[in-house]
Amino acid sequence: AQRVTQPEKLLSVFKGAPVELKCNYSYSGSPELFWYVQYSRQRLQLLLRHISRESIKGFTADLNKGETSFHLKKPFAQEEDSAMYYCALSAPRGGGADGLTFGKGTHLIIQP
Amino acid sequence: GAGVSQSPSNKVTEKGKDVELRCDPISGHTALYWYRQSLGQGLEFLIYFQGNSAPDKSGLPSDRFSAERTGGSVSTLTIQRTQQEDSAVYLCASNKRGKGGETQYFGPGTRLLVL
């Protein structure tokens, strides 16, 4: 069975400092990995996905298959980055379903 | 355009009662997902629909939980004989094809409190 681990429940950094939110996964096949974000009083939304190899709002994430990691990084944090961040893995389940397996989330707080 | 909508926004019920939660996916999305977000467990996958079929029901936590989807659109999640541990936010998501790598679009959730 697949599993996603986010070791930090809470991460607090100062504005302008670098940010790294850790994510490790276990899955026997080739995973599809995502970062979803939930800002205060907003719905859960996609931040980025590894297959797109894109940078969104200054965030990047590189899939490291050797370390089974998909850490989220941003060189200079901004106050509007404060939110709950979830790492998620998409893998086929019985019947071909692709429901997401989520980590427990990291609450990122950017201090002014 | 309209996103995924869910109703009710909040539901308070007494232990032992049945509840129905509704999800309206984005028009044209064939795949629909239900998740549960609770303090202790984080976000858990419950069930997935491709059209009106649910190929995998293994994520449902007990036989008190059931879900259906009609017309390839609206879905209802029913919890019978609710228990206090069912208290959580129930999220619905949809996407076009339900394939790996595809973004899921989430609704605002239904916050369920079982007293």
Side-chain angles (χ1 to χ4, degrees):
Chain A
Q2 55 268 26
R3 176 177 287 186
V4 177
T5 303
Q6 293 179 251
E8 303 134 331
K9 280 189 180 178
L10 174 67
L11 183 62
S12 179
V13 301
F14 286 102
K15 177 182 170 182
V19 172
E20 183 179 46
L21 286 79
K22 291 185 166 47
C23 172
N24 287 89
Y25 66 90
S26 63
Y27 177 58
S28 55
S30 288
E32 303 283 357
L33 284 152
F34 306 79
W35 278 97
Y36 279 80
V37 61
Q38 190 166 28
Y39 300 103
S40 179
R41 289 185 288 280
Q42 293 187 29
R43 62 184 68 188
L44 195 63
Q45 59 186 283
L46 178 73
L47 179 62
L48 56 80
R49 47 185 181 160
H50 91 271
I51 60 170
S52 301
R53 295 182 176 274
E54 59 202 342
S55 173
I56 304 292
K57 299 185 178 182
F59 284 98
T60 59
D62 291 318
L63 177 61
N64 186 323
K65 291 187 177 180
E67 296 182 358
T68 58
S69 68
F70 189 56
H71 303 326
L72 183 68
K73 300 177 185 179
K74 184 168 182 175
F76 307 105
Q78 298 172 287
E79 287 185 67
E80 54 264 35
D81 296 330
S82 295
M84 195 74 184
Y85 290 79
Y86 293 94
C87 183
L89 180 152
S90 174
R93 301 172 189 265
D98 276 347
L100 292 168
T101 298
F102 285 92
K104 292 199 188 291
T106 297
H107 187 187
L108 177 64
I109 297 174
I110 307 301
Q111 298 189 50
Chain B
V4 177
S5 60
Q6 292 185 246
S7 60
S9 301
N10 294 280
K11 176 73 178 177
V12 181
T13 190
E14 292 179 350
K15 178 180 169 181
K17 296 280 178 72
D18 297 352
V19 295
E20 268 192 9
L21 312 179
R22 177 187 167 108
C23 171
D24 278 276
I26 293 172
S27 177
H29 281 192
T30 61
L32 185 148
Y33 309 79
W34 283 99
Y35 296 88
R36 179 168 70 174
Q37 186 176 30
S38 55
L39 278 175
Q41 301 298 321
L43 273 157
E44 305 169 82
F45 169 78
L46 298 178
I47 191 169
Y48 156 89
F49 286 91
Q50 182 64 273
N52 293 333
S53 299
D56 180 12
K57 300 180 181 178
S58 62
L60 295 175
S62 78
D63 58 9
R64 296 185 294 104
F65 286 71
S66 63
E68 64 175 16
R69 188 179 185 197
T70 54
S73 181
V74 171
S75 176
T76 55
L77 177 70
T78 301
I79 310 173
Q80 294 178 307
R81 305 181 302 282
T82 51
Q83 303 293 313
Q84 288 179 334
E85 61 262 29
D86 299 333
S87 296
V89 177
Y90 290 82
L91 295 175
C92 175
S94 71
N95 57 18
K96 282 187 180 175
R97 297 182 307 277
K99 295 304 179 186
E102 191 181 356
T103 302
Q104 292 187 16
Y105 297 89
F106 283 82
T110 293
R111 187 175 299 275
L112 174 66
L113 179 60
V114 182
L115 300 176

